[in-house]
Amino acid sequence: MKLDRAQQFAAAIVGRLSPHCDRIAVGGSVRRQRPEVGDIEVVAIPATVPGVPSLFGAGPLVRDQRFVEIVDSWGHVKGDALAGRYMQRIITAEDLDIEGEDSIALDLFVADVDNFGHILAIRTGSAEYSRQVLAGGWVRAGYRSRDGYLRADLGTGDIVPVREERDLFELIGIPWAEPEMREVMA
């Protein structure tokens, strides 16, 4: 899909989900401004509401039901909108009430406040940049990534909060790179 059309899809997706999210951002090749886009990557922190109370007090927090309903209304490929950390859906122009008959895959990554910057940086890519520059950087800096979080690699595996992308770049000691510059040259 051409970038301008993918941006239209991405804006409509964010528009639908953002009222039901604490935070949401587009990543991937759309964010890197690539002329051709294979899919749309979105990182979101869904809003939460209290679940069913129990004998022991308030219920656990659960995802906003409207977020779940919207995601589940799109063509399911994989992932659980109620509790999953990764979902893939096929989104049509009709799903988003925009003109056209085309469609594109959506990769939706669920984060929280302590890993949003980490997930957004990885999912902005490029894949080579994420692997060689970011992952290589955190390994050299003594961290590892597990279960979507940057962790101290000094035996404890404690989560290192990465709330903003810039936090990750700073932690691993590499200069900030604008998304459109995140390509690895051969």
mmCIF file with all atom_site columns, all heavy atoms in Angstrom, residues 68-80:
data_model
loop_
_atom_site.group_PDB
_atom_site.id
_atom_site.type_symbol
_atom_site.label_atom_id
_atom_site.label_alt_id
_atom_site.label_comp_id
_atom_site.label_asym_id
_atom_site.label_entity_id
_atom_site.label_seq_id
_atom_site.pdbx_PDB_ins_code
_atom_site.Cartn_x
_atom_site.Cartn_y
_atom_site.Cartn_z
_atom_site.occupancy
_atom_site.B_iso_or_equiv
_atom_site.pdbx_formal_charge
_atom_site.auth_seq_id
_atom_site.auth_comp_id
_atom_site.auth_asym_id
_atom_site.auth_atom_id
_atom_site.pdbx_PDB_model_num
ATOM 1   N N   . VAL A 1 68 ? -11.989 -3.688  23.298 1.00 0.00 ? 68 VAL A N   1
ATOM 2   C CA  . VAL A 1 68 ? -12.079 -5.102  22.930 1.00 0.00 ? 68 VAL A CA  1
ATOM 3   C C   . VAL A 1 68 ? -13.081 -5.288  21.789 1.00 0.00 ? 68 VAL A C   1
ATOM 4   O O   . VAL A 1 68 ? -12.803 -5.992  20.809 1.00 0.00 ? 68 VAL A O   1
ATOM 5   C CB  . VAL A 1 68 ? -12.452 -5.966  24.161 1.00 0.00 ? 68 VAL A CB  1
ATOM 6   C CG1 . VAL A 1 68 ? -12.732 -7.412  23.765 1.00 0.00 ? 68 VAL A CG1 1
ATOM 7   C CG2 . VAL A 1 68 ? -11.362 -5.887  25.215 1.00 0.00 ? 68 VAL A CG2 1
ATOM 8   N N   . GLU A 1 69 ? -14.240 -4.658  21.892 1.00 0.00 ? 69 GLU A N   1
ATOM 9   C CA  . GLU A 1 69 ? -15.276 -4.798  20.855 1.00 0.00 ? 69 GLU A CA  1
ATOM 10  C C   . GLU A 1 69 ? -14.790 -4.282  19.503 1.00 0.00 ? 69 GLU A C   1
ATOM 11  O O   . GLU A 1 69 ? -15.036 -4.912  18.475 1.00 0.00 ? 69 GLU A O   1
ATOM 12  C CB  . GLU A 1 69 ? -16.548 -4.051  21.271 1.00 0.00 ? 69 GLU A CB  1
ATOM 13  C CG  . GLU A 1 69 ? -17.289 -4.712  22.405 1.00 0.00 ? 69 GLU A CG  1
ATOM 14  C CD  . GLU A 1 69 ? -18.383 -3.836  22.984 1.00 0.00 ? 69 GLU A CD  1
ATOM 15  O OE1 . GLU A 1 69 ? -18.606 -2.693  22.492 1.00 0.00 ? 69 GLU A OE1 1
ATOM 16  O OE2 . GLU A 1 69 ? -19.040 -4.290  23.950 1.00 0.00 ? 69 GLU A OE2 1
ATOM 17  N N   . ILE A 1 70 ? -14.122 -3.149  19.502 1.00 0.00 ? 70 ILE A N   1
ATOM 18  C CA  . ILE A 1 70 ? -13.630 -2.587  18.235 1.00 0.00 ? 70 ILE A CA  1
ATOM 19  C C   . ILE A 1 70 ? -12.603 -3.515  17.607 1.00 0.00 ? 70 ILE A C   1
ATOM 20  O O   . ILE A 1 70 ? -12.695 -3.851  16.426 1.00 0.00 ? 70 ILE A O   1
ATOM 21  C CB  . ILE A 1 70 ? -13.052 -1.172  18.451 1.00 0.00 ? 70 ILE A CB  1
ATOM 22  C CG1 . ILE A 1 70 ? -14.167 -0.202  18.812 1.00 0.00 ? 70 ILE A CG1 1
ATOM 23  C CG2 . ILE A 1 70 ? -12.303 -0.698  17.203 1.00 0.00 ? 70 ILE A CG2 1
ATOM 24  C CD1 . ILE A 1 70 ? -13.684 1.138   19.348 1.00 0.00 ? 70 ILE A CD1 1
ATOM 25  N N   . VAL A 1 71 ? -11.618 -3.928  18.392 1.00 0.00 ? 71 VAL A N   1
ATOM 26  C CA  . VAL A 1 71 ? -10.575 -4.813  17.858 1.00 0.00 ? 71 VAL A CA  1
ATOM 27  C C   . VAL A 1 71 ? -11.198 -6.118  17.366 1.00 0.00 ? 71 VAL A C   1
ATOM 28  O O   . VAL A 1 71 ? -10.848 -6.615  16.293 1.00 0.00 ? 71 VAL A O   1
ATOM 29  C CB  . VAL A 1 71 ? -9.467  -5.061  18.902 1.00 0.00 ? 71 VAL A CB  1
ATOM 30  C CG1 . VAL A 1 71 ? -8.487  -6.122  18.417 1.00 0.00 ? 71 VAL A CG1 1
ATOM 31  C CG2 . VAL A 1 71 ? -8.731  -3.760  19.220 1.00 0.00 ? 71 VAL A CG2 1
ATOM 32  N N   . ASP A 1 72 ? -12.148 -6.663  18.115 1.00 0.00 ? 72 ASP A N   1
ATOM 33  C CA  . ASP A 1 72 ? -12.783 -7.919  17.716 1.00 0.00 ? 72 ASP A CA  1
ATOM 34  C C   . ASP A 1 72 ? -13.702 -7.765  16.509 1.00 0.00 ? 72 ASP A C   1
ATOM 35  O O   . ASP A 1 72 ? -14.061 -8.758  15.881 1.00 0.00 ? 72 ASP A O   1
ATOM 36  C CB  . ASP A 1 72 ? -13.540 -8.546  18.889 1.00 0.00 ? 72 ASP A CB  1
ATOM 37  C CG  . ASP A 1 72 ? -12.627 -9.313  19.828 1.00 0.00 ? 72 ASP A CG  1
ATOM 38  O OD1 . ASP A 1 72 ? -11.471 -9.601  19.446 1.00 0.00 ? 72 ASP A OD1 1
ATOM 39  O OD2 . ASP A 1 72 ? -13.071 -9.625  20.953 1.00 0.00 ? 72 ASP A OD2 1
ATOM 40  N N   . SER A 1 73 ? -14.083 -6.541  16.177 1.00 0.00 ? 73 SER A N   1
ATOM 41  C CA  . SER A 1 73 ? -14.943 -6.335  15.001 1.00 0.00 ? 73 SER A CA  1
ATOM 42  C C   . SER A 1 73 ? -14.148 -6.401  13.699 1.00 0.00 ? 73 SER A C   1
ATOM 43  O O   . SER A 1 73 ? -14.722 -6.523  12.623 1.00 0.00 ? 73 SER A O   1
ATOM 44  C CB  . SER A 1 73 ? -15.676 -4.993  15.101 1.00 0.00 ? 73 SER A CB  1
ATOM 45  O OG  . SER A 1 73 ? -14.805 -3.908  14.835 1.00 0.00 ? 73 SER A OG  1
ATOM 46  N N   . TRP A 1 74 ? -12.833 -6.321  13.784 1.00 0.00 ? 74 TRP A N   1
ATOM 47  C CA  . TRP A 1 74 ? -11.975 -6.377  12.603 1.00 0.00 ? 74 TRP A CA  1
ATOM 48  C C   . TRP A 1 74 ? -11.608 -7.815  12.303 1.00 0.00 ? 74 TRP A C   1
ATOM 49  O O   . TRP A 1 74 ? -11.587 -8.664  13.201 1.00 0.00 ? 74 TRP A O   1
ATOM 50  C CB  . TRP A 1 74 ? -10.739 -5.514  12.819 1.00 0.00 ? 74 TRP A CB  1
ATOM 51  C CG  . TRP A 1 74 ? -11.044 -4.047  12.970 1.00 0.00 ? 74 TRP A CG  1
ATOM 52  C CD1 . TRP A 1 74 ? -12.088 -3.359  12.398 1.00 0.00 ? 74 TRP A CD1 1
ATOM 53  C CD2 . TRP A 1 74 ? -10.323 -3.083  13.729 1.00 0.00 ? 74 TRP A CD2 1
ATOM 54  N NE1 . TRP A 1 74 ? -12.058 -2.039  12.763 1.00 0.00 ? 74 TRP A NE1 1
ATOM 55  C CE2 . TRP A 1 74 ? -10.970 -1.836  13.581 1.00 0.00 ? 74 TRP A CE2 1
ATOM 56  C CE3 . TRP A 1 74 ? -9.186  -3.148  14.520 1.00 0.00 ? 74 TRP A CE3 1
ATOM 57  C CZ2 . TRP A 1 74 ? -10.523 -0.671  14.181 1.00 0.00 ? 74 TRP A CZ2 1
ATOM 58  C CZ3 . TRP A 1 74 ? -8.725  -1.985  15.131 1.00 0.00 ? 74 TRP A CZ3 1
ATOM 59  C CH2 . TRP A 1 74 ? -9.388  -0.764  14.959 1.00 0.00 ? 74 TRP A CH2 1
ATOM 60  N N   . GLY A 1 75 ? -11.276 -8.115  11.059 1.00 0.00 ? 75 GLY A N   1
ATOM 61  C CA  . GLY A 1 75 ? -10.975 -9.477  10.614 1.00 0.00 ? 75 GLY A CA  1
ATOM 62  C C   . GLY A 1 75 ? -9.889  -10.147 11.434 1.00 0.00 ? 75 GLY A C   1
ATOM 63  O O   . GLY A 1 75 ? -8.709  -9.805  11.318 1.00 0.00 ? 75 GLY A O   1
ATOM 64  N N   . HIS A 1 76 ? -10.276 -11.105 12.250 1.00 0.00 ? 76 HIS A N   1
ATOM 65  C CA  . HIS A 1 76 ? -9.356  -11.778 13.175 1.00 0.00 ? 76 HIS A CA  1
ATOM 66  C C   . HIS A 1 76 ? -8.367  -12.659 12.435 1.00 0.00 ? 76 HIS A C   1
ATOM 67  O O   . HIS A 1 76 ? -8.742  -13.486 11.628 1.00 0.00 ? 76 HIS A O   1
ATOM 68  C CB  . HIS A 1 76 ? -10.161 -12.612 14.169 1.00 0.00 ? 76 HIS A CB  1
ATOM 69  C CG  . HIS A 1 76 ? -9.331  -13.237 15.236 1.00 0.00 ? 76 HIS A CG  1
ATOM 70  N ND1 . HIS A 1 76 ? -8.705  -14.446 15.073 1.00 0.00 ? 76 HIS A ND1 1
ATOM 71  C CD2 . HIS A 1 76 ? -9.001  -12.810 16.471 1.00 0.00 ? 76 HIS A CD2 1
ATOM 72  C CE1 . HIS A 1 76 ? -8.034  -14.741 16.167 1.00 0.00 ? 76 HIS A CE1 1
ATOM 73  N NE2 . HIS A 1 76 ? -8.201  -13.768 17.037 1.00 0.00 ? 76 HIS A NE2 1
ATOM 74  N N   . VAL A 1 77 ? -7.088  -12.468 12.731 1.00 0.00 ? 77 VAL A N   1
ATOM 75  C CA  . VAL A 1 77 ? -6.046  -13.363 12.259 1.00 0.00 ? 77 VAL A CA  1
ATOM 76  C C   . VAL A 1 77 ? -5.494  -14.113 13.463 1.00 0.00 ? 77 VAL A C   1
ATOM 77  O O   . VAL A 1 77 ? -5.489  -15.334 13.496 1.00 0.00 ? 77 VAL A O   1
ATOM 78  C CB  . VAL A 1 77 ? -4.919  -12.611 11.507 1.00 0.00 ? 77 VAL A CB  1
ATOM 79  C CG1 . VAL A 1 77 ? -3.797  -13.556 11.109 1.00 0.00 ? 77 VAL A CG1 1
ATOM 80  C CG2 . VAL A 1 77 ? -5.480  -11.874 10.297 1.00 0.00 ? 77 VAL A CG2 1
ATOM 81  N N   . LYS A 1 78 ? -5.044  -13.356 14.464 1.00 0.00 ? 78 LYS A N   1
ATOM 82  C CA  . LYS A 1 78 ? -4.590  -13.995 15.708 1.00 0.00 ? 78 LYS A CA  1
ATOM 83  C C   . LYS A 1 78 ? -4.584  -12.981 16.835 1.00 0.00 ? 78 LYS A C   1
ATOM 84  O O   . LYS A 1 78 ? -4.599  -11.785 16.620 1.00 0.00 ? 78 LYS A O   1
ATOM 85  C CB  . LYS A 1 78 ? -3.228  -14.647 15.548 1.00 0.00 ? 78 LYS A CB  1
ATOM 86  C CG  . LYS A 1 78 ? -2.096  -13.718 15.195 1.00 0.00 ? 78 LYS A CG  1
ATOM 87  C CD  . LYS A 1 78 ? -0.805  -14.541 15.090 1.00 0.00 ? 78 LYS A CD  1
ATOM 88  C CE  . LYS A 1 78 ? 0.183   -13.851 14.193 1.00 0.00 ? 78 LYS A CE  1
ATOM 89  N NZ  . LYS A 1 78 ? 1.389   -14.637 14.009 1.00 0.00 ? 78 LYS A NZ  1
ATOM 90  N N   . GLY A 1 79 ? -4.565  -13.524 18.044 1.00 0.00 ? 79 GLY A N   1
ATOM 91  C CA  . GLY A 1 79 ? -4.472  -12.697 19.245 1.00 0.00 ? 79 GLY A CA  1
ATOM 92  C C   . GLY A 1 79 ? -5.805  -12.438 19.903 1.00 0.00 ? 79 GLY A C   1
ATOM 93  O O   . GLY A 1 79 ? -6.844  -12.383 19.255 1.00 0.00 ? 79 GLY A O   1
ATOM 94  N N   . ASP A 1 80 ? -5.757  -12.297 21.215 1.00 0.00 ? 80 ASP A N   1
ATOM 95  C CA  . ASP A 1 80 ? -6.933  -12.105 22.058 1.00 0.00 ? 80 ASP A CA  1
ATOM 96  C C   . ASP A 1 80 ? -7.040  -10.640 22.470 1.00 0.00 ? 80 ASP A C   1
ATOM 97  O O   . ASP A 1 80 ? -6.178  -10.140 23.196 1.00 0.00 ? 80 ASP A O   1
ATOM 98  C CB  . ASP A 1 80 ? -6.790  -13.017 23.283 1.00 0.00 ? 80 ASP A CB  1
ATOM 99  C CG  . ASP A 1 80 ? -7.873  -12.828 24.320 1.00 0.00 ? 80 ASP A CG  1
ATOM 100 O OD1 . ASP A 1 80 ? -8.937  -12.271 23.987 1.00 0.00 ? 80 ASP A OD1 1
ATOM 101 O OD2 . ASP A 1 80 ? -7.657  -13.251 25.473 1.00 0.00 ? 80 ASP A OD2 1
#
